[in-house]
Structures are given as structure tokens and as C-alpha cells.
Amino acid sequence: MARDTKVREPAEFADLDAEREVDLRRYWNALVARWWLPLAGLVVGLIIGYLLSLGGNQVYKATALLYLGQPLAGNTTIQSLATNPATVNEIIHSEATARMAAARAGLRPGQVRNNISSRAISGAKGAIKSGQTPLIEISLTGKAPRKTAIAAAAVADDVVNKLSVYVNTKIAGYKTLLASLDSQLASNKKRIDDLNAAISGAQGLSEIDKLLLVTQADGAEQLRGQLVQNQTLTQQQLSLAENVEKPQVVQRPVPVKTTARSTRNSMLVGGVIGLLIGLFAALLWDPVARRFGRRTS
């Protein structure tokens, strides 16, 4: 005869499960019966949060828009400080940058370091494409509008200067090369003018001498074409370095009046607190009512 091998749950455990089920059912029934209390708490919390945000201290926010640049080696993008997403945040919160910006604006370093933030501006679809250098917003809040804008501008300039070391070297090299090409073109033009003048006034020269002058003039013209081509290419490379590779401040910071508290955050916090209070009130309504009923009877 087969034995029943099923493990039976102790009676006390079954009683505990039954009590838990009863408690949960009682709580649920209390919430359903007093559903308007959590709703009222939520609404009142949202209203209080909104009113508190309106009563917040007025401050000013100055935001600078930065382009971090796209460093290139030939036609290849290279990794640099500008391509590291953590670079800007580390620079703006550094003690050296805070002290520099504070000294320039007449503020305390803590007023800069503790009230500054940065965020990347994403594209239309909310994402930054791979290999694309994002735009960065650097924002500073403070009570003094002019000082806040000056400090934000100082921080933005400091970021640009720190990220421009590599490309500044390229720009300096291109400018030196352009100056050399300009000098060569000026010398070449003088030589061509002298040769053309010699050819025009060469009535007494032999045919061989005239041919030699014409050959030299042709060679000078060909050299000028090469120099102009090199000059154009260098100008394009310089423009690429200055306008694409080099970081720059796209928009200077302008102070705008705002509030110390975020309306959305204040309403969110107020709504959550009001909802929790409403839930507790619904759960405690019947026990409290019974207790007061006993005291009054």
C-alpha cells in the first residue's frame, strides 16, 4: 500500500498565511472604500509643490553653448580630450577653474563650483551619433546677474583653451606656411614681371637669348601655379582647423531670471508626499474612527 509522502505544512504556518491574506484584504478594502483620500492627497501635494516653486528665491542662470571641436589627423578622426565625454564636467568642477572664474567675476569659488553644470545637446532623435562631437551647454546659477554671466563666460573660455592645445599648434603651422607661400608668390611675381619686361625690350638680343627668357618666364608661371595651388590648399586646411577642429563658444552666456526651485521637481515631490499621506490616511481611517467612537461612547 503506497504511503502519502507529501509534506504537510504545519498548522501554525497555515494560520499565519491566512492572517496575512486577511490583513492584505482588509488593507485593500480600506483603500477601495477611501479611494478619494489618496487622490485628494495627490492633488493637494501637486498644488502645494507648485505654490512653493513660485515662492522660491529668484536667481539668474547664465548658459554658454560650446562646440568641442573635431580633431583630425589627415582625414581621420583622432581621440582627444574633446572626444572624451567626461572632460568638460571634470574641468568645470575643478578647483583651479572655480578659483579663476570666481576671481574674474568677484565671487567665491564655492559659488561657481557648487552651482555649475553641463549637459550634452542631443540630436533630433535624442541620441548623439557615433563619432559626432556634441554641443555642450555650461550653465551657472547665481543671485548677481552680471557676475554670474562673467563667471560662466570665464569657465567656457577655460574649457575651450584647455581643449585647443593640439589644434592651436596646427593653426600656427598653417599660418606660418601661408606666410611663406605669400612671400614666395610675391618674389615669383617680381621675377615674372622682370622677365616679361626683359622680353618686351629685347630687340637687340639673339633668338637664343629671347628663347631663354621666354623659357624662364614659362617656368616662373608654372611655379606660380604650383604656389597658388599650395596656398589654396593651405587656406582650406587652416579654415578646417579653425572652424571644424577647434573648440569654440557658439553662444556667450546671458543671465536669465529663474527660480531656485524647479516647478516640475517641486510638484513631483509634493505629489508623492501627498499620495503617501493619503494612502496612510485611508488605511488608518477605520481604526482611528473606531477608537474615537469608543472614547465618545
Side-chain angles (χ1 to χ4, degrees), residues 10-252:
E12 58 270 19
F13 290 166
D15 293 340
L16 288 175
D17 291 339
E19 290 178 3
R20 291 194 190 98
E21 184 176 353
V22 171
D23 289 340
L24 292 176
R25 187 177 300 160
R26 184 172 69 249
Y27 295 152
W28 175 253
N29 291 336
L31 292 177
V32 172
R34 310 293 178 185
W35 61 268
W36 51 273
L37 286 174
L39 179 60
L42 175 63
V43 173
V44 171
L46 291 173
I47 294 174
I48 293 176
Y50 177 73
L51 294 177
L52 287 176
S53 68
L54 293 181
N57 294 330
Q58 292 291 332
V59 295
Y60 292 87
K61 183 177 182 180
T63 300
L65 182 62
L66 271 63
Y67 168 66
L68 300 186
Q70 186 65 70
L72 302 172
N75 295 324
T76 304
T77 301
I78 61 175
Q79 299 297 316
S80 68
L81 288 175
T83 59
N84 189 328
T87 299
V88 174
N89 193 59
E90 291 297 322
I91 292 176
I92 66 175
H93 287 101
S94 67
E95 186 64 23
T97 299
R99 290 185 179 184
M100 179 276 300
R104 189 172 299 180
L107 298 171
R108 296 190 304 274
Q111 291 176 300
V112 176
R113 184 178 54 255
N114 299 331
N115 297 299
I116 198 164
S117 62
S118 65
R119 72 181 186 96
I121 306 298
S122 59
K125 296 183 179 180
I128 299 172
K129 296 181 180 179
S130 177
Q132 180 185 40
T133 302
L135 294 174
I136 300 291
E137 276 188 352
I138 295 178
S139 299
L140 178 66
T141 56
K143 294 182 179 180
R146 181 175 176 275
K147 292 182 178 181
T148 301
I150 292 175
V155 172
D157 291 337
D158 189 53
V159 171
V160 169
N161 291 335
K162 283 183 169 65
L163 299 185
S164 300
V165 177
Y166 166 74
V167 70
N168 283 343
T169 302
K170 293 184 67 174
I171 290 174
Y174 288 140
K175 288 182 176 180
T176 300
L177 179 58
L178 274 178
S180 175
L181 289 171
D182 290 341
S183 177
Q184 292 178 57
L185 281 169
S187 176
N188 176 262
K189 182 178 183 304
K190 183 177 184 305
R191 177 171 176 77
I192 291 175
D193 291 341
D194 291 343
L195 287 171
N196 288 333
I199 293 172
S200 300
Q203 290 82 2
L205 295 178
S206 64
E207 294 298 327
I208 296 178
D209 291 335
K210 291 181 179 180
L211 180 60
L212 180 60
L213 289 175
V214 171
T215 302
Q216 290 178 347
D218 289 341
E221 288 288 352
Q222 292 178 5
L223 177 59
R224 181 174 182 81
Q226 295 175 0
L227 291 174
V228 169
Q229 184 178 3
N230 291 338
Q231 182 190 50
T232 302
L233 179 60
T234 304
Q235 288 173 340
Q236 292 174 350
Q237 292 172 332
L238 176 61
S239 178
L240 178 66
E242 290 180 333
N243 299 301
V244 178
E245 296 186 66
K246 183 178 174 62
Q248 55 187 293
V249 179
V250 179
Q251 291 181 354
R252 307 296 295 180

